[in-house]
Amino acid sequence: MSSTLKFIEYCEKCFALWPEDESVSKCPNTSCSGQRYRGNPLKKVKKSFILTSCLLKEQLKAILDRDGMWEKVLNVIKSRESNNGDCITDVTDGKRYRELCQPGGVLHGTENLTIIFNTDGVALYKSSRIEIWPVYVAINEIPAKERFQCKNVALWGLWQGKGKPPTYAFTKPLVEALREIAIDGLMLTSGKRIKFYTLISTMDLIAKAQILCMNQHNGFHGCSTCLIKGVHEKNVHVYPYSEAIDQKKSAKRNDEKTFNDAIKAISSGQKVNGIKGPSSLHLIPEFSITDGVVPDYMHGVLLGVAKVLVACWFDPSEHRIFYKENRTYPEYYIGHMIHDVDVRLEGMRPVDYISRRPRPLSGNLGHLKANELRTWLLYYSLPCLEGILLPIYWNHLALLVEATHILLGEKISKTDLEWANDCLQLFYKYFSEFYERRKSGLNIHNLIHLPLYVEYWGPLWAYSCFGFESLNGSIIKQVHGTKNGSTQIIKTFNALKAIHIMMQSQNTKEIVRNALSSMLMKNRRLANYLCLIFVSIIN
């Protein structure tokens, strides 16, 4: 696999992309006075740039050419053709996916595939504000258990700099790469020509607003699904249920209206329905900018709603306003009983598929990870809070737990989907009544949209950020020293892919087996350590 690296530079003043001709020194935007930086951007840490790895086609081809992978993909395609859509089990059962499989659709009668992409900011160094924004691409037709493994995910490239990447400069080359694999496709070793259509993009709220070129969650019209405006109250922006049920104020967005709003925003110089301007994602074939950019369950439900509830119940700092106004704590506050909850947590015996034992809440409220909040919400919260939290709040929490369990299920029927929708509607309706109204942010509002996206694209786990966030943690570990961090990341990622390919060779397996056998006779501990390394690489 090629390891060619390509820099994509842009003007620091107007963010226009520089041409590949390095002799051009003046900004291509005639109204801008920006000058091109001379030298290697990697040698100037403060420089912002986009770095792409080898061609996206090559990575996808290497994934599908691996022994046995194409047969697994064909099995998924056959299962989607035999499914009548009564039960939702994966992306291939979603309503939007099935529409593309109908006569006239790009997936009808073909072996074309679909992809999901993700991007998010990651701190490159602990001692600076420099971030990287890697862009991952995964194939939806790969079996769910293998879909987000490192060896089955492609890294298109990354942006490095301070703050957030400029929308146009960052998305334009990405969209060009996604258009290329959709229009031209790629040729597998077997001689099959496959086209890849981008269907889903999953991001947190901040990255989503940046990529879609629209207001963030703390601004008017911050929802990418509907036109709810929200209101400013006590220095926060909230999305009340009363406005959400008003059909005129919260009508669903669609691609055509969103594009028209973007054109109006450019011509008028003002935001229209929260849209600042057109997004390059409009140019991706078969991609819906309103239906395809999904709300993420990890950031929204867990790090959003579940974390807010835990803070409301146990964190006294959340209720300083009651101190100032000489009022007692609200009746849902149970911080004085947190040790009783910890005793129940310590008595929990999690099943084997839950890898992390529960930590006590006291002392860890601000440090709970997403997978800890997942097990807390789905398994521990109701038994630990029964008899401690007042019944009205306990029953309210049960609505969220029930709906989340359903939407994460392996098989979701239409009846299940309707029941989950009813539960989330009730949870949203009473949240601002039971808790402080200022807590009704965009994550609370987005709960009522989750059943719609499950109907469109399958269960919440099928496009969750969990797999991509795990990759973020892995690639940051590949950075050693303070120079050329981005280059180290991409080269190491490509090297791992090359090792995966090599390990498919029978000769390589024999060499490794013989080497480990001889080493086992001399140093058992070292041999066992190397075995673990090779097993982790293969998996």
Side-chain angles (χ1 to χ4, degrees):
M1 181 185 297
S2 171
S3 59
T4 303
L5 299 179
K6 178 183 177 182
F7 284 102
I8 301 176
E9 298 181 80
Y10 56 87
C11 177
E12 293 287 348
K13 290 187 176 182
C14 67
F15 307 122
L17 292 172
W18 288 104
E20 294 186 6
D21 183 4
E22 295 184 358
S23 63
V24 178
S25 59
K26 293 185 178 180
C27 180
N29 183 0
T30 56
S31 60
C32 177
S33 60
Q35 295 292 321
R36 191 168 196 165
Y37 171 71
R38 294 300 181 184
N40 187 346
L42 289 174
K43 294 182 179 179
K44 190 176 181 181
V45 178
K46 295 181 180 180
K47 175 71 177 176
S48 299
F49 57 87
I50 303 169
L51 181 65
T52 62
S53 62
C54 65
L55 294 176
L56 181 60
K57 283 185 176 182
E58 293 184 20
Q59 296 186 63
L60 295 175
K61 179 179 182 298
I63 292 171
L64 294 178
D65 279 342
R66 198 181 307 121
D67 288 348
M69 180 55 70
W70 182 247
E71 287 71 19
K72 295 177 181 179
V73 170
L74 286 179
N75 290 334
V76 173
I77 293 176
K78 291 178 181 178
S79 65
R80 98 186 170 197
E81 294 173 349
S82 60
N83 193 344
N84 56 12
D86 292 337
C87 196
I88 300 174
T89 61
D90 203 347
V91 174
T92 55
D93 300 321
K95 179 180 177 181
R96 289 288 182 260
Y97 191 100
R98 294 200 308 272
E99 289 175 354
L100 298 178
C101 298
Q102 299 301 316
V106 294
L107 300 180
H108 177 68
T110 69
E111 294 177 344
N112 292 335
L113 305 179
T114 63
I115 59 175
I116 175 176
F117 77 90
N118 162 270
T119 186
D120 194 7
V122 187
L124 186 58
Y125 307 109
K126 293 182 179 179
S127 58
S128 72
R129 295 187 292 112
I130 297 176
E131 289 190 354
I132 60 169
W133 285 57
V135 179
Y136 301 107
V137 175
I139 303 173
N140 293 318
E141 286 76 13
I142 290 179
K145 292 183 179 180
E146 305 177 40
R147 186 174 305 159
F148 300 112
Q149 293 178 358
C150 178
K151 62 183 179 181
N152 295 327
V153 176
L155 175 62
W156 168 78
L158 53 85
W159 173 88
Q160 177 180 313
K162 293 184 178 180
K164 302 169 188 173
T167 304
Y168 174 77
F170 185 44
T171 57
K172 185 178 183 295
L174 169 62
V175 168
E176 289 176 352
L178 297 178
R179 283 178 58 84
E180 183 182 4
I181 61 175
I183 297 174
D184 299 334
L186 60 89
M187 187 74 71
L188 301 183
T189 304
S190 61
K192 295 180 180 293
R193 178 167 291 278
I194 305 298
K195 295 182 179 181
F196 293 83
Y197 293 95
T198 306
L199 296 188
I200 309 172
S201 174
T202 179
M203 296 170 277
D204 65 9
L205 293 179
I206 296 177
K208 181 190 295 186
Q210 185 74 9
I211 299 301
L212 295 182
C213 198
M214 64 178 295
N215 274 346
Q216 297 212 24
H217 58 281
N218 55 357
F220 292 109
H221 295 292
C223 179
S224 63
T225 305
C226 70
L227 293 173
I228 185 171
K229 185 177 181 181
V231 294
H232 277 304
E233 290 186 2
K234 297 180 180 179
N235 298 325
V236 295
H237 197 79
V238 298
Y239 294 86
Y241 178 79
S242 58
E243 187 176 344
I245 61 175
D246 189 328
Q247 295 297 325
K248 295 181 180 179
K249 292 183 178 181
S250 61
K252 188 180 180 305
R253 296 179 187 266
N254 59 51
D255 291 354
E256 182 179 359
K257 292 181 179 179
T258 301
F259 184 75
N260 291 336
D261 289 343
I263 299 300
K264 293 177 182 177
I266 290 294
S267 59
S268 65
Q270 297 180 346
K271 303 171 188 176
V272 179
N273 291 327
I275 305 296
K276 301 177 182 178
S279 170
S280 299
L281 301 190
H282 281 288
L283 302 176
I284 304 177
E286 303 298 332
F287 183 76
S288 170
I289 199 169
T290 52
D291 295 340
V293 184
V294 299
D296 175 47
Y297 141 76
M298 171 187 156
H299 291 98
V301 180
L302 302 179
L303 294 174
V305 180
K307 198 167 187 177
V308 166
L309 288 173
V310 169
C312 288
W313 296 329
F314 301 110
D315 192 350
S317 65
E318 289 289 320
H319 308 290
R320 291 173 182 169
I321 185 174
F322 295 96
Y323 276 126
K324 294 178 180 179
E325 298 179 2
N326 295 322
R327 290 189 289 159
T328 58
Y329 283 119
E331 57 184 5
Y332 58 77
Y333 177 72
I334 52 175
H336 55 288
M337 303 184 71
I338 190 171
H339 294 290
D340 296 333
V341 176
D342 286 341
V343 170
R344 295 187 180 184
L345 267 178
E346 292 176 0
M348 292 290 175
R349 296 294 179 266
V351 293
D352 55 0
Y353 58 81
I354 299 178
S355 58
R356 186 187 292 267
R357 285 186 59 84
R359 287 193 293 173
L361 295 177
S362 54
N364 295 309
L365 290 178
H367 307 285
L368 295 175
K369 298 182 180 297
N371 56 359
E372 291 179 298
L373 288 167
R374 174 175 55 188
T375 52
W376 161 259
L377 176 68
L378 297 177
Y379 304 106
Y380 305 147
S381 59
L382 291 179
C384 285
L385 296 178
E386 187 176 12
I388 296 178
L389 193 65
L390 290 179
I392 188 172
Y393 300 103
W394 191 91
N395 291 330
H396 182 248
L397 171 65
L399 293 173
L400 177 63
V401 175
E402 171 76 1
T404 307
H405 265 291
I406 292 174
L407 299 182
L408 287 171
E410 295 182 356
K411 293 184 179 180
I412 307 174
S413 66
K414 293 181 180 179
T415 304
D416 293 336
L417 205 56
E418 293 174 358
W419 174 241
N421 182 65
D422 292 341
C423 289
L424 292 177
Q425 290 283 349
L426 286 174
F427 181 88
Y428 181 33
K429 177 181 179 180
Y430 291 108
F431 183 87
S432 57
E433 296 182 18
F434 292 169
Y435 298 91
E436 295 177 67
R437 184 179 167 93
R438 65 185 181 90
K439 298 292 185 181
S440 298
L442 187 56
N443 284 320
I444 301 294
H445 166 76
N446 275 336
L447 290 175
I448 62 173
H449 295 315
L450 294 181
L452 176 67
Y453 286 96
V454 170
E455 179 185 1
Y456 285 171
W457 305 115
L460 295 179
W461 54 261
Y463 39 86
S464 166
C465 283
F466 268 108
F468 299 116
E469 290 290 332
S470 177
L471 289 174
N472 282 341
S474 299
I475 64 173
I476 289 299
K477 294 178 182 178
Q478 312 306 324
V479 179
H480 304 286
T482 58
K483 293 183 179 180
N484 302 344
S486 298
T487 304
Q488 293 177 36
I489 288 172
I490 292 183
K491 286 187 175 181
T492 304
F493 197 89
N494 289 337
L496 289 175
K497 292 294 184 65
I499 292 175
H500 289 309
I501 297 173
M502 291 173 56
M503 292 303 295
Q504 297 300 316
S505 169
Q506 190 63 33
N507 293 334
T508 304
K509 293 179 181 179
E510 288 297 330
I511 293 173
V512 172
R513 186 181 294 111
N514 294 334
L516 290 177
S517 298
S518 61
M519 191 175 295
L520 187 61
M521 302 297 294
K522 301 177 181 179
N523 192 327
R524 182 180 296 272
R525 178 177 297 179
L526 179 59
N528 290 336
Y529 178 70
L530 291 177
C531 284
L532 291 175
I533 293 177
F534 279 109
V535 168
S536 64
I537 290 175
I538 295 173
N539 294 331

